Amino acid sequence: MKKLIGSIAFAVVAASGAALAQSYPEQAVTLVVPYGPGGASDLAGRALAETAQPFLEQPVTVMNKPGAGGMNGARFVSEADADGYTLLLARVGMALSPAVTPESAVPWDAYTFVGALEATPMILAVRSDAPYENVEDLVTAIKDSNGAMTYAASGATAIDGFTTQALLADNDLDPLTAATLVPYKGGGALATALLGGHVDFVAMAAGSLMPHIESGDMKALMVFAPKRVESLPDVATAQELGYEKAGQITGWSALYAPKDLPEEVFAKWQEVLGQVATDEKWLELASRRGSISTIGTVDMTDYAKSQYELFNGLAKDFGYLPN
């Protein structure tokens, strides 16, 4: 009798859970952006919120939760109820941070991977008056400088630090000493450092550099992206130029949820993302940010794992973690 009652109770709970999932969403969805307002992550999150809302038929509210290199927002979502009402605008940092600082970061696989959103290219750039016309010119100058050449980055193990270090390693140079990293906070500060002549080059997010490239104050030498950037059709990617490590690095955005998201909620977001993928507004906003929409083109679970393994491998190769 107890077994029968238990079975009935389980069936009732399962049925009510399924009914809840099938009626999802019944209220606004919160999209957590784990970085501050105004940056590339925030712009991507607001673009998704704006374009997904008509297809979801409920408001999507953006909540900025910055701090700890994106881990504050990531942890908030990973610990939230898996009901589809709290989602994460994930960035490359969600794979990079646990790969480099596993003791303080949210594990890379602590989520349901709902889907890829975009690739956000990084650009290797110099001032327009610099005597380098291509990557080879710059690499030659770096080799000849014996560590005197400088570049700006958010930090040695930030994405804009790994871009340069990977390029140096691909050219058989010591990633930590062949060029000198000068730390700055935020994309605007990095770009300003290059414009002001305080550093010799940067390899950072396209969004912060494109206005200066378009104005003629900077020139792009290479793109870290899966394909060429539409607005820079003559600038080759690292992959095209044969750079193995640098060719695997790019920025990206994805949609994550807490682990064990109900299948019906996951399916609803697959439907919504499928509609967003061809939405003119989404594509226009991505292009404006210098991003490449990747919705439906990437298995996000496999990609997140490969990105974690890439940065974990680089951290070991470059001496940030023991082998």
Side-chain angles (χ1 to χ4, degrees):
M1 185 66 176
K2 280 184 181 176
K3 189 182 285 187
L4 177 60
I5 292 170
S7 299
I8 292 169
F10 176 80
V12 168
V13 169
S16 62
L20 280 171
Q22 283 166 2
S23 59
Y24 171 89
E26 293 183 314
Q27 63 193 50
V29 172
T30 298
L31 179 63
V32 175
V33 173
Y35 301 97
S41 311
D42 186 55
L43 293 175
R46 292 180 190 282
L48 178 64
E50 181 182 341
T51 52
Q53 188 164 315
F55 306 120
L56 195 65
E57 298 180 340
Q58 286 288 355
V60 179
T61 306
V62 173
M63 176 197 289
N64 294 94
K65 211 163 182 61
M71 288 300 104
N72 281 356
R75 185 166 283 107
F76 179 82
V77 174
S78 70
E79 294 173 353
D81 291 338
D83 55 11
Y85 290 104
T86 306
L87 303 175
L88 178 68
L89 191 285
R91 297 286 281 180
V92 64
M94 273 76 264
L96 190 156
S97 290
V100 179
T101 55
E103 67 287 344
S104 59
V106 179
W108 74 270
D109 58 354
Y111 316 93
T112 298
F113 301 101
V114 180
L117 295 174
E118 62 176 3
T120 53
M122 317 287 284
I123 295 177
L124 177 67
V126 295
R127 288 188 310 280
S128 57
D129 60 356
Y132 321 115
E133 296 305 320
N134 50 51
V135 185
E136 291 74 16
D137 288 349
L138 179 63
V139 169
T140 299
I142 291 170
K143 285 179 179 175
D144 292 344
S145 78
N146 294 317
M149 292 273 285
T150 58
Y151 67 99
S154 307
T157 57
I159 181 69
D160 48 27
F162 272 122
T163 45
T164 290
Q165 292 167 54
L167 176 63
L168 297 174
D170 282 332
N171 283 281
D172 299 320
L173 294 168
D174 186 312
L176 306 189
T177 62
T180 300
L181 186 158
V182 183
Y184 290 87
K185 281 190 177 180
L190 301 179
T192 300
L194 180 61
L195 284 172
H198 305 297
V199 294
D200 296 303
F201 66 97
V202 294
M204 55 175 285
S208 298
L209 294 180
M210 283 307 299
H212 306 296
I213 293 168
E214 288 166 353
S215 70
D217 294 323
M218 292 183 189
K219 53 187 169 185
L221 302 183
M222 185 175 77
V223 176
F224 298 77
K227 63 180 183 179
R228 293 195 184 197
V229 176
E230 217 172 86
S231 51
L232 298 170
D234 299 326
V235 181
T237 67
Q239 200 169 18
E240 284 179 293
L241 294 173
Y243 293 124
E244 183 197 349
K245 291 181 173 69
Q248 297 177 70
I249 294 178
T250 189
W252 48 263
S253 300
L255 186 63
Y256 286 6
K259 222 170 178 59
D260 301 320
L261 191 70
E263 284 183 21
E264 294 83 356
V265 177
F266 181 85
K268 178 63 178 177
W269 271 103
Q270 297 309 298
E271 176 192 319
V272 169
L273 289 180
Q275 292 167 306
V276 169
T278 57
D279 182 78
E280 285 184 18
K281 186 70 174 176
W282 166 256
L283 295 172
E284 178 200 330
L285 290 172
S287 177
R288 203 182 293 172
R289 295 192 305 278
S291 296
I292 302 162
S293 179
T294 56
I295 297 175
T297 66
V298 175
D299 181 306
M300 198 57 219
T301 304
D302 291 346
Y303 186 65
K305 183 182 181 186
S306 71
Q307 286 282 286
Y308 167 80
E309 290 171 346
L310 167 68
F311 289 111
N312 188 245
L314 291 179
K316 289 174 179 175
D317 289 348
F318 299 168
Y320 297 118
L321 289 175
N323 271 304

